[in-house]
Amino acid sequence: MPYVSTPLLALAVSSSLQAVEGFARPSSSLLARAQTTQATSQRFASTLADTYGSISTSSPGDRIPIDESYPGLRRVHADPDVFVIEDFLDGASCDEIIEAAKEKGTERSPVAYAGWTTDIKDLLGLAATGPVTWAAIIAAWAEAQGDEDASVLGLVLHSIRNYAILFVAAAAAIAAFTKIRADGLQELRTSTSTTLDDMAMSGPRNFVLNAARLFGPSSADSDMHESQFFESPTVISYERDQSLAPHYDANRSADVEDANRGGQTLSTLLVYLNDVDSGGTTRFGRLPAAPDCDRQLASDSECLNIVPRKGDALLFFPADADGRFDERTEHEGRPAVDEKWIARIWRHVDKVPPPFGLSDESIGTYIDGKKD
């Protein structure tokens, strides 16, 4: 969804005072005191606006680099870039990944409330600059009606007291709302999944090796192997009627919420592990269809909608190279009619430590080929 800046609380305070002037019809002496109070209220509002400031709406920049000459790489959408990579994995590797996932066992795919810290900040900012401010000022004004001796300081103190009480109540309501939202997010995803970190197996190892070749040497640190920026491969299974609702892979609050798993997700690489004759497509609801692409679902003329094919990969970039969230990459896994298996690697901005990423020993032994 789009994220926009909220107005400064100072503007809300000023507007509220103007609205109350016509609503309450105060005496001329009280109105004079209130007008004198406005500057003090604006300074108080500015302090709150600094605390609950708005988020940046700057547009995403360039994505992270990849090997543009990688075999089978085809761009199906530009700005933001979406690629299909034909025959990214051979059939035997696909089959082995599926068997490894079945042997390990899959569980209901987890859904995290990504961006909850930013959402709370936005909601608190909205409350601070809107209803809480209006209610606090109107209540203070009402309390001073008929009191010709009401002082400027009294009006300010009444407004601050009312504001504090109402803001605490709003904060409690916002906390309850975010808890309810977090509990309900699991319904967005009905698939099952597991992670594979055993690089002694050729299927997962080939997936990681091919991904490392695709992204090439890390621009962040040439001494680090590219796979150190990967989460361990996740294998996801969709049975009949299972799906994943529209969502984002990047996190607007990644610096805080994903600090222990490599920070922002810069790229999503997923491989279709089996052919799916019906259903189970990957649909980008904000991007136009690619009618000239043979992987585009022919019956969908509205949006980019990729049909799974065994061994093919889909590559896109949920955030730019600097980690700025790109809302245009919203996507969904359409309901499966036939069974569908995919494997996914998320490439992060920083090194991904275990248990989310591969161990240094595993990378050194099986990926980089360096044995002690």
Side-chain angles (χ1 to χ4, degrees):
M1 71 180 82
Y3 299 96
V4 297
S5 300
T6 54
L8 291 177
L9 184 55
L11 179 59
V13 171
S14 177
S15 300
S16 301
L17 287 172
Q18 293 172 7
V20 174
E21 179 181 346
F23 172 76
R25 297 184 185 278
S27 64
S28 58
S29 59
L30 185 58
L31 178 59
R33 295 189 185 94
Q35 288 172 336
T36 304
T37 306
Q38 183 171 348
T40 305
S41 301
Q42 286 177 328
R43 287 194 296 273
F44 173 61
S46 296
T47 301
L48 290 167
D50 290 339
T51 304
Y52 303 104
S54 59
I55 51 177
S56 172
T57 58
S58 59
S59 299
D62 295 334
R63 58 169 171 80
I64 59 172
I66 61 171
D67 180 1
E68 303 281 351
S69 63
Y70 194 92
L73 184 73
R74 289 191 297 156
R75 183 184 280 107
V76 296
H77 188 276
D79 192 25
D81 284 343
V82 179
F83 295 92
V84 167
I85 311 173
E86 296 179 345
D87 300 320
F88 187 78
L89 274 185
D90 61 88
S93 293
C94 292
D95 294 340
E96 184 174 4
I97 291 174
I98 293 175
E99 290 306 313
K102 289 180 177 179
E103 182 177 343
K104 184 175 181 181
T106 60
E107 299 178 347
R108 178 77 178 268
S109 300
V111 178
Y113 184 176
W116 65 270
T117 55
T118 300
D119 284 349
I120 288 178
K121 177 182 176 182
D122 291 347
L123 289 171
L124 286 173
L126 179 62
T129 59
V132 171
T133 302
W134 280 66
I137 294 176
I138 291 174
W141 202 296
E143 292 171 355
Q145 290 298 301
D147 183 1
E148 292 294 332
D149 296 326
S151 66
V152 171
L153 179 60
L155 286 173
V156 171
L157 292 177
H158 277 84
S159 296
I160 293 176
R161 181 202 63 191
N162 294 340
Y163 188 95
I165 295 171
L166 292 169
F167 188 83
V168 169
I174 290 168
F177 166 77
T178 53
K179 177 64 166 61
I180 293 171
R181 184 177 182 185
D183 291 343
L185 281 176
Q186 186 61 59
E187 299 307 315
L188 293 175
R189 185 168 209 162
T190 55
S191 61
T192 59
S193 63
T194 190
T195 57
L196 299 179
D197 54 9
D198 185 359
M199 292 298 103
M201 305 176 66
S202 61
R205 182 172 68 248
N206 289 339
F207 185 21
V208 174
L209 283 170
N210 290 351
R213 296 187 188 108
L214 172 65
F215 290 108
S218 169
S219 59
D221 187 340
S222 59
D223 293 331
M224 294 179 65
H225 194 275
E226 183 64 26
S227 59
Q228 291 179 289
F229 297 89
F230 298 165
E231 284 196 32
S232 298
T234 299
V235 183
I236 306 168
S237 172
Y238 295 86
E239 296 180 359
R240 185 178 181 87
D241 295 330
Q242 290 185 333
S243 63
L244 175 55
H247 66 285
Y248 303 104
D249 286 352
N251 184 349
R252 293 178 297 127
S253 305
D255 289 347
V256 175
E257 296 171 19
D258 295 333
N260 64 337
R261 59 193 306 153
Q264 185 65 283
T265 302
L266 301 185
S267 181
T268 295
L269 175 68
L270 62 86
V271 176
Y272 301 108
L273 301 176
N274 68 314
D275 290 316
V276 182
D277 293 331
S278 182
T281 59
T282 305
R283 189 174 192 265
F284 294 83
R286 296 173 182 262
L287 304 181
D292 297 330
C293 175
D294 60 353
R295 303 263 53 86
Q296 167 74 33
L297 180 66
S299 61
D300 190 346
S301 60
E302 299 278 335
C303 301
L304 183 64
N305 202 343
I306 303 300
V307 176
R309 190 177 75 178
K310 184 176 181 177
D312 281 4
L314 182 65
L315 173 68
F316 58 96
F317 306 87
D320 68 14
D322 293 324
R324 284 190 291 267
F325 180 87
D326 192 342
E327 65 186 29
R328 299 171 298 174
T329 60
E330 180 190 53
H331 58 288
E332 62 180 305
R334 297 294 295 160
V337 177
D338 300 324
E339 185 181 44
K340 170 189 172 184
W341 287 85
I342 65 171
R344 182 198 68 214
I345 285 178
W346 276 334
R347 200 280 191 187
H348 289 268
V349 65
D350 295 318
K351 179 180 177 179
V352 183
F356 304 107
L358 301 174
S359 67
D360 291 341
E361 179 182 2
S362 181
I363 292 173
T365 302
Y366 299 108
I367 304 303
D368 208 17
K370 297 177 181 178
K371 300 183 179 180
D372 295 336

